[in-house]
């Protein structure tokens, strides 16, 4: 009997086009879902008859309670090689093998700059006005050359964002709890004396940290109050690093010039979520990892994971 594989959150309906699934077609029936399943009950019902599940990034939680309700599940594949929303101990207890895939840091770097430039030059405002017959020029762009870019995190993604900032002629500083002067010197940026100094002195602040106990709520009301009123915040990392209520208050109160956000506390974002109508906000629906090359990598590697699992030699195991 064929195994059944569910591909979750295939919003664009491209999962089966981005990779060659024929190597497993004789043994596995692949079904992609273009709609998100909200809540554990809905998800458990939808996945009850599947042996394999492919999930994108960390959008869908797989806690012990859900894994216990999926008795047929034997293989769970998550894109990327790090996933904080899977209960690995519970997966092992229920006989579920968890595997990952390669992932590129290039797409989120590029989206970070798309948001930053869109904010700085009022691209969406000016585009909408031009298309609607509105005013010819209504914004005055913020300059990048000579301005200070502050990076929270200088890892693989933060380091590449820094290189682009330097190419624009920006002064680039960085801070994180573990950042060393050696790493800052390696990238060619200034190590900020403190988080507070970085926030208070930067014209653009971009978040590139992993979410954990030390980074959750790292940017709250007190930190946003340190921003220059002309400064912008960009977050393509994880929503919970920035206090969402505090950010909304800062945007509505005009305490910062604007924000570019690709990540949210609830995804997909409900139709009535206040982030959809916040002023001074340029928002995208978690597109950081969404690019053709990344999708080809994710789904191509998912096929490899399934092949290896069927052969009894799982690869890229997580947990």
């Amino acid at each position: 009997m064929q195994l059944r594989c569910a591909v979750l959150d295939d919003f664009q309906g491209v999962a089966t086009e981005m990779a060659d699934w024929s190597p497993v077609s004789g043994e596995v029936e692949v079904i992609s879902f273009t709609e998100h399943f909200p809540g554990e009950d809905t998800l458990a019902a939808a996945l009850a008859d599947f042996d394999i599940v492919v999930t994108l990034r960390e959008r869908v939680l797989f806690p012990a309670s859900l894994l216990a309700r999926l008795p047929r599940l034997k293989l769970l594949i998550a894109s990327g090689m790090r996933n904080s929303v899977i209960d690995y101990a519970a997966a092992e207890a229920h006989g579920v093998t968890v595997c990952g895939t390669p992932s590129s840091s290039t797409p989120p770097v590029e989206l970070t700059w798309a948001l930053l430039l869109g904010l700085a030059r009022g691209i969406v405002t000016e585009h909408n006005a031009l298309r609607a017959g509105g005013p010819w020029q209504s914004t005055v762009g913020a300059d990048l050359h000579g301005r200070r870019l502050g990076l929270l995190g200088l890892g693989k993604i933060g380091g590449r964002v820094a290189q682009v900032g330097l190419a624009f002629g920006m002064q680039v500083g960085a801070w994180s709890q573990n950042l060393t002067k050696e790493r800052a010197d390696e990238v060619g940026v200034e190590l900020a004396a403190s988080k507070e100094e970085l926030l208070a002195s930067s014209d653009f602040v971009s978040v590139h940290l992993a979410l954990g106990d030390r980074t959750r709520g790292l940017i709250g009301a007190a930190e946003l109050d340190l921003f220059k009123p002309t400064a912008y915040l960009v977050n393509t990392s994880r929503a919970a690093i920035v206090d969402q209520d505090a950010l909304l208050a800062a945007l509505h109160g005009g305490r910062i010039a604007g924000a570019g956000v690709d990540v949210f506390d609830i995804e997909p974002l409900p139709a009535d979520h206040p982030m959809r109508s916040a002023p001074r906000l340029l928002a995208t629906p978690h597109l950081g990892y969404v690019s053709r090359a990344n999708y080809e990598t994710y789904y191509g590697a998912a096929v490899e994971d399934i092949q290896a699992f069927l052969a009894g030699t799982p690869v890229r195991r997580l947990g």
Side-chain angles (χ1 to χ4, degrees):
M1 185 175 67
Q2 268 195 327
L3 300 177
R4 304 187 76 217
C5 172
V7 180
L8 300 181
D9 293 339
D10 182 19
F11 297 129
Q12 300 92 347
V14 297
T16 56
E17 302 171 12
M18 291 289 175
D20 179 10
W21 293 80
S22 63
V24 299
S25 61
E27 298 176 81
V28 179
E29 177 189 11
V30 179
I31 299 173
S32 72
F33 294 95
T34 57
E35 298 295 328
H36 182 72
F37 295 115
E40 185 175 305
D41 290 344
T42 306
L43 193 61
L47 300 181
D49 295 327
F50 286 92
D51 309 276
I52 303 168
V53 171
V54 178
T55 181
L56 281 176
R57 308 301 296 169
E58 297 173 320
R59 177 173 291 118
V60 178
L61 279 63
F62 283 88
S65 55
L66 174 59
L67 292 166
R69 300 169 69 178
L70 302 175
R72 282 188 54 169
L73 183 62
K74 293 293 179 265
L75 175 62
L76 175 60
I77 300 171
S79 60
M81 290 300 295
R82 181 174 60 188
N83 194 300
S84 63
V85 299
I86 297 172
D87 188 324
Y88 295 107
E92 183 177 4
H94 289 286
V96 179
T97 299
V98 184
C99 297
T101 75
S103 180
S104 172
S105 62
T106 299
V109 172
E110 295 173 351
L111 184 71
T112 294
W113 279 101
L115 289 172
L116 194 152
L117 287 165
L119 286 167
R121 300 305 298 267
I123 298 296
V124 174
T125 298
E126 296 290 3
H127 166 81
N128 288 342
L130 187 147
R131 294 292 293 268
W136 185 261
Q137 297 185 6
S138 64
T139 64
V140 177
D143 295 282
L144 271 60
H145 185 86
R147 299 302 189 267
R148 182 173 173 82
L149 170 64
L151 300 174
L152 290 168
L154 197 63
K156 186 182 296 184
I157 294 176
R160 296 183 70 175
V161 170
Q163 292 171 349
V164 178
L166 292 170
F168 272 117
M170 301 184 79
Q171 303 169 20
V172 184
W175 177 90
S176 73
Q177 290 161 323
N178 297 321
L179 184 58
T180 64
K181 188 176 186 304
E182 289 73 22
R183 170 59 180 166
D185 289 344
E186 176 188 343
V187 179
V189 306
E190 176 190 347
L191 174 63
S194 65
K195 174 182 70 175
E196 290 74 17
E197 185 275 328
L198 183 79
L199 300 181
S201 63
S202 296
D203 300 290
F204 299 87
V205 174
S206 192
V207 181
H208 302 288
L209 296 165
L211 179 61
D213 292 338
R214 294 194 304 173
T215 59
R216 188 178 300 275
L218 187 72
I219 304 298
E223 287 75 19
L224 288 165
D225 281 344
L226 296 173
F227 277 54
K228 301 176 182 179
T230 54
Y232 297 87
L233 171 67
V234 176
N235 186 9
T236 57
S237 183
R238 290 293 181 268
I241 296 173
V242 179
D243 184 290
Q244 301 294 281
D245 291 337
L247 177 57
L248 284 167
L251 292 170
H252 280 282
R255 295 204 301 276
I256 61 175
V261 174
D262 185 50
V263 287
F264 305 92
D265 54 355
I266 304 172
E267 295 185 9
L269 207 59
D272 60 350
H273 195 285
M275 278 289 186
R276 286 188 180 267
S277 56
R280 304 178 180 85
L281 178 67
L282 177 57
T284 48
H286 206 155
L287 298 178
Y289 63 90
V290 181
S291 76
R292 177 169 292 276
N294 237 10
Y295 269 26
E296 290 173 347
T297 297
Y298 288 165
Y299 293 123
V303 175
E304 296 172 357
D305 288 348
I306 294 171
Q307 285 182 284
F309 175 79
L310 294 176
T313 55
V315 294
R316 292 187 286 261
R317 298 190 68 163
L318 301 181

